[in-house]
Amino acid sequence: MITVETIRERHSVREYDGGPLDQAEFDVLGAVVEECARESGLNIQLVGDNPEVFNVIARFGLIRGCRTHVAFVIDDAKAGDVAADEAIGYWGQRIVLAAQDMGLNTCWCA
């Protein structure tokens, strides 16, 4: 359950231990992602065991040791659309806070 304490504890982390989530963590986070995707109508995907994803994206700063990420996939026509950006921010923050509540660190990137 997301509490004010969860919100206060949440901070961006860009360096991780390089290990994968255990299956229970992945399943719980996956359920949150699925619920948010269903409720929002957005294409939200939990991607596990993909340590290379941040090796090719460097414009936002270095992220090290990350193996799992959540991707919001949108049509090029919606890129930069304010409503789409707001929806991604709202639903993404729900996922970020759920991860924080699980003891998992996160950061946003685009």
Side-chain angles (χ1 to χ4, degrees):
M1 186 169 111
I2 306 305
T3 64
V4 172
E5 188 61 30
T6 302
I7 295 168
R8 287 186 181 132
E9 289 175 355
R10 196 266 180 246
H11 62 282
S12 289
V13 173
R14 294 187 182 276
E15 192 160 335
Y16 301 89
D17 65 12
L21 295 182
D22 67 39
Q23 191 62 51
E25 292 170 325
F26 190 85
D27 291 345
V28 171
L29 190 57
V32 170
V33 169
E34 287 177 18
E35 178 184 349
C36 289
R38 185 177 56 254
E39 289 183 26
S40 69
L42 295 170
N43 182 355
I44 311 171
Q45 302 172 12
L46 177 63
V47 181
D49 201 24
N50 185 11
E52 295 85 23
V53 68
F54 296 108
N55 290 341
V56 296
I57 305 171
R59 69 178 189 198
F60 53 80
L62 294 175
I63 294 178
R64 295 189 179 134
C66 180
R67 299 181 66 95
T68 303
H69 66 277
V70 175
F72 286 80
V73 182
I74 63 168
D75 187 293
D76 283 343
K78 292 190 178 202
D81 176 81
V82 173
D85 289 350
E86 287 177 358
I88 291 168
Y90 176 81
W91 293 100
Q93 197 61 26
R94 281 190 56 176
I95 295 167
V96 163
L97 290 173
Q100 179 65 43
D101 203 43
M102 294 170 59
L104 301 173
N105 293 307
T106 61
C107 72
W108 280 91
C109 63

